Amino acid sequence: MRLVVEQLTAGYPGRPVVHGVDLTVPEGQVVAVVGPNGCGKSTLLRAIARLHQPESGTVRIGDADVWALTPRRAAHRIALLPQSPQAPEAVTVAGLVRYGRHPHQGLFRQWSREDEQAVESALRATGTAELAGRRLDQLSGGQRQRCWLAMVLAQETPIVLLDEPTSALDLGHAVDVLELVREVAAAGRTVVMVLHDLASAARYADTVVALRDGRIVAHGPSREVVDAALVRELYGIEADILSAPGDGSPVVVPAARATTPTAAPAPAA
């Protein structure tokens, strides 16, 4: 399903954070939202996921307005993995992933073989099947992150939102997660993820959306958007943009923080 965000404005009492955002994501695409800390990335994802009431604007998935749906119906269409998810104490990996099936349960819809297959498929896709019987709190950070991703995949929503899915991961685990994101999109789901690494955004996303002060300042094909001017505008630093051997994706090499030239002193009278 296509995700459409129109003129979305959201924030907190006395402090607007996201201003008039327009965004359209076709089915099966990966969008990376980038920008400096505090620019509104997480608030945007929470407003799309029906967890943060916007002040104005609409969010549509297919032909449905997300905010007109019940929470359960919305959870059939959209899933969010936040930055710092919290799990019940001593939960096993299998138990965690089963939580992804909660929106599909009800008074007349109890656990079924379909649910079990969704859990098994999510565990296989994330390489966590061998961890199913282990407690989440006994795993490494990279293993836990893959387990949380499995829970989100088990929810089987057409829209998947990931808030910094590679944070605190080493390079190898980060690549594993981003490759998995591409596989999820190839299977027909739409993925919107917040990333801090511009090079990863350019390599793994179809589209980059750059936010600054809650507004979109750049939006387009990832390998066209990521350049030295964007780095300067977002982070206030100079950078060299190199082409990666093999696929030519942009590699960002920070040089120095951009400074405003000072005026030359006036000549002595």
Side-chain angles (χ1 to χ4, degrees):
M1 293 185 181
R2 187 172 67 158
L3 170 66
V4 179
V5 178
E6 294 181 330
Q7 286 297 295
L8 186 71
T9 296
Y12 305 90
R15 186 169 67 91
V17 177
V18 175
H19 307 271
V21 167
D22 290 308
L23 177 65
T24 298
V25 187
E27 181 177 316
Q29 295 287 294
V30 176
V31 168
V33 182
V34 302
N37 292 337
C39 71
K41 301 184 296 295
S42 295
T43 301
L44 174 61
L45 257 61
R46 288 178 58 81
I48 293 173
R50 206 183 179 283
L51 296 177
H52 186 98
Q53 179 75 51
E55 297 175 13
S56 61
T58 59
V59 178
R60 297 199 312 275
I61 299 175
D63 58 357
D65 183 337
V66 169
W67 283 95
L69 299 173
T70 65
R72 183 177 293 274
R73 294 300 300 168
H76 285 191
R77 296 188 178 225
I78 193 162
L80 168 67
L81 179 60
Q83 288 184 39
S84 303
Q86 299 295 317
E89 186 176 356
V91 70
T92 66
V93 170
L96 176 72
V97 179
R98 288 191 185 102
Y99 280 114
R101 301 301 298 170
H102 178 72
H104 301 273
Q105 307 303 305
L107 183 61
F108 301 105
R109 170 66 162 80
Q110 300 302 309
W111 191 264
S112 67
R113 179 56 187 161
E114 179 184 347
D115 296 312
E116 196 62 42
Q117 289 174 339
V119 169
E120 292 172 358
S121 176
L123 289 168
R124 287 196 304 271
T126 55
T128 54
E130 72 279 5
L131 304 174
R134 295 184 56 184
R135 283 174 40 173
L136 190 71
D137 58 11
Q138 296 175 339
L139 304 179
S140 70
Q143 289 173 320
R144 286 197 300 271
Q145 188 72 336
R146 286 188 288 138
C147 295
W148 283 109
L149 281 168
M151 185 197 72
V152 170
L153 295 184
Q155 196 170 328
E156 291 191 320
T157 57
I159 308 295
V160 176
L161 308 178
L162 306 174
D163 196 352
E164 298 188 31
T166 59
S167 63
L169 297 184
D170 62 40
L171 183 59
H173 285 115
V175 169
D176 287 344
V177 167
L178 293 170
E179 292 286 355
L180 176 59
V181 166
R182 290 303 323 177
E183 293 172 10
V184 169
R189 301 196 204 186
T190 301
V191 181
V192 180
M193 59 180 176
V194 169
L195 289 179
H196 278 296
D197 182 3
L198 284 178
S200 293
R203 171 164 284 177
Y204 290 99
D206 301 296
T207 299
V208 165
V209 174
L211 287 184
R212 182 173 179 83
D213 298 327
R215 293 181 171 84
I216 294 179
V217 297
H219 177 200
S222 54
R223 301 189 186 196
E224 298 177 11
V225 168
V226 177
D227 59 18
L230 180 66
V231 175
R232 186 182 307 113
E233 180 171 11
L234 293 182
Y235 307 109
I237 64 171
E238 298 297 336
D240 296 316
I241 309 299
L242 311 179
S243 295
D247 66 358
S249 62
V251 176
V252 180
V253 182
R257 181 165 294 280
T259 58
T260 302
T262 56

